[in-house]
Amino acid sequence: MNTGAYVGEHEPTTRLRPRAWTELLLVLGLFLAYKAGRLAVDGRVSAAFDDARLVWSLERALRLPDEAAVQHLLLSADALVRAANVFYAVVHFPATIAFLIFMYWFRPEHYIRFRRILAWLTAIGLLVHFTFPLAPPRMLSGLGMIDTAAVYGPSVYGPPQTDTMSNQYAAMPSLHVGWAIVMAAGLIHATSSRWRWLWLAHPILTMLVVAGTANHYWLDGVIAGIIVGVLLMMTSRHQHPSPRVPLQVQRTIASNKRTAQGTKTT
């Protein structure tokens, strides 16, 4: 029976897979830095609104689609807009954790690379949040957009003036989109199914959701994608994955070698 395992995924993978407790601490530290870093760069409200008007004008100059068009599509049905709000509120962190667990346990030869990409993306994102605070579209009047989470629920944010749990002026780059791109890239790179390219639906859906719910501009996702692309290229030179020969084939080869050796001995 073909177990779906591959060469290098038994004893050799124990050398590729870092210790679980150290990885747990590292990943926990990543998420805490994400939350603490967003809070640390909060408070530059005036600059955030100036930057928002700049980004909106730049998008129109580049003839990018209006984010309001996506929102109007979501608003065509209450169930659709509520589903988008739930996706924004619920999927981001659990999906990333599930991705890291999958890569750690089943694709350890690729795990460290993509964990590092997530860490670097988050660090760069926090730096951009600090240097370029950006109010999301839901905060700008005159755009023809509403805060869908506040109107239809569920909402993960309170009023910006009293919300001490998050920095709502950290729209650029969109880490929702960036992390989704890393997940798709990792799963496409580390798996061999002909259906693996469907993972691209995750960052595409994420981009549509964050734009349609008025939490991000298109450029927030574009910049996140550029950062991920650069990180993928920078880390590719250090990636030397082991050949993915099915374990069943490995056992057959080993059995044939033992049979051949037995024949020579007799």
Side-chain angles (χ1 to χ4, degrees), residues 6-262:
Y6 293 87
V7 173
E9 291 192 7
H10 286 272
E11 290 185 5
T13 58
T14 61
R15 297 192 294 269
L16 294 171
R17 188 181 293 122
R19 292 180 178 178
W21 69 270
T22 59
E23 286 305 299
L24 181 61
L25 291 177
L26 284 171
V27 173
L28 180 60
L30 171 63
F31 282 95
L32 289 177
Y34 170 82
K35 297 299 291 185
R38 287 172 67 93
L39 292 174
V41 301
D42 201 0
R44 302 173 60 191
V45 178
S46 178
F49 279 92
D50 290 342
D51 292 340
R53 286 185 281 269
L54 174 63
V55 168
W56 184 261
S57 299
L58 180 59
E59 286 191 340
R60 305 293 76 78
L62 294 174
R63 299 185 180 277
L64 293 179
D66 193 335
E67 289 86 348
V70 180
Q71 184 170 98
H72 291 160
L73 177 62
L74 293 181
L75 294 175
S76 63
D78 282 5
L80 192 59
V81 68
R82 291 181 191 276
N85 291 338
V86 170
F87 185 95
Y88 179 83
V90 173
V91 172
H92 184 45
F93 284 112
T96 306
I97 292 171
F99 166 73
L100 289 171
I101 292 174
F102 173 84
M103 295 293 281
Y104 176 84
W105 193 254
F106 297 105
R107 298 293 185 270
E109 67 272 28
H110 303 288
Y111 167 76
I112 291 180
R113 179 192 183 195
F114 286 94
R115 188 254 285 155
R116 286 174 176 167
I117 290 175
L118 278 174
W120 276 109
L121 170 62
T122 304
I124 294 170
L126 293 177
L127 178 62
V128 177
H129 295 164
F130 179 76
T131 57
F132 192 78
L134 181 64
R138 57 188 168 82
M139 293 185 181
L140 287 184
S141 59
L143 302 186
M145 303 186 74
I146 64 171
D147 185 346
T148 60
V151 175
Y152 294 91
S155 178
V156 295
Y157 302 120
Q161 300 82 1
T162 59
D163 187 359
T164 60
M165 296 303 295
S166 60
N167 174 19
Q168 298 190 43
Y169 304 104
M172 172 79 75
S174 170
L175 292 181
H176 272 74
V177 175
W179 287 12
I181 294 173
V182 174
M183 282 185 268
L187 291 168
I188 290 171
H189 184 72
T191 58
S192 57
S193 169
R194 62 178 179 176
W195 301 104
R196 68 189 187 278
W197 295 100
L198 291 177
W199 287 111
L200 290 173
H202 179 48
I204 293 172
L205 179 60
T206 301
M207 183 69 252
L208 292 174
V209 164
V210 299
T213 56
N215 283 293
H216 286 283
Y217 307 90
W218 296 119
L219 281 179
D220 299 339
V222 170
I223 297 301
I226 292 173
I227 295 172
V228 173
V230 171
L231 291 172
L232 285 169
M233 288 188 292
M234 290 178 62
T235 57
S236 64
R237 72 186 71 176
H238 304 297
Q239 182 74 0
H240 303 289
S242 57
R244 302 188 60 74
V245 181
L247 183 60
Q248 184 181 31
V249 175
Q250 179 193 22
R251 288 173 175 170
T252 302
I253 294 173
S255 177
N256 290 340
K257 286 183 178 179
R258 286 195 296 270
T259 302
Q261 291 174 352

